[in-house]
Amino acid sequence: DKTKRKVLVLGEAGVGKSTLVQTFCSNGQQVTRDYMMTLVADIASKIIDVDDETDVELFFFDVSGREMLRSSVAQMVIEFKLAGEAHLVVFVYDSTSEPSFQGLDAWVDLVKKSNSNRLPPSILVSTKN
């Protein structure tokens, strides 16, 4: 049996969301240095063996943090009910950038707005430590 779970990955542009997802999904393999910034969203998946009978397939929705795409991203999150159907939200910030941490308030508000003012199970991840 395979259980499928959605993971929404949010944060400002350039904080390392895609690198985080790619590194996890590739079991720690080096991420290409020629990476292009996410346009609207990328989807990646990884299957995790829980026990001999059950696997969990995680689907990561790596959402662009680019300011110029914010309205498109917000519309996508709301219309596709990504936050409402997410089993986990990963909020990511760059530990060397205070504005990226402060920007998380807007991402939390977006998730709540698209999910009846509720926040699904969530974690906060600091990158570039």
Side-chain angles (χ1 to χ4, degrees), residues 38-110:
T38 304
L39 289 178
V40 177
D42 286 334
I43 300 173
S45 68
K46 180 173 181 165
I47 297 173
I48 304 202
D49 298 325
V50 176
D51 56 39
D52 291 339
E53 297 178 17
T54 305
D55 293 336
V56 175
E57 186 168 13
L58 299 174
F59 288 92
F60 293 90
F61 292 81
D62 172 16
V63 176
S64 175
R66 296 170 74 179
E67 184 63 38
M68 65 186 227
L69 296 173
R70 195 63 52 94
S71 63
S72 298
V73 165
Q75 183 177 1
M76 179 192 70
V77 168
I78 292 167
E79 286 187 16
F80 291 112
K81 299 179 181 162
L82 289 179
E85 295 179 357
H87 295 91
L88 177 67
V89 179
V90 180
F91 293 103
V92 183
Y93 74 99
D94 173 352
S95 65
T96 67
S97 168
E98 186 175 337
S100 75
F101 182 75
Q102 293 170 342
L104 291 174
D105 287 339
W107 292 106
V108 170
D109 290 344
L110 172 62

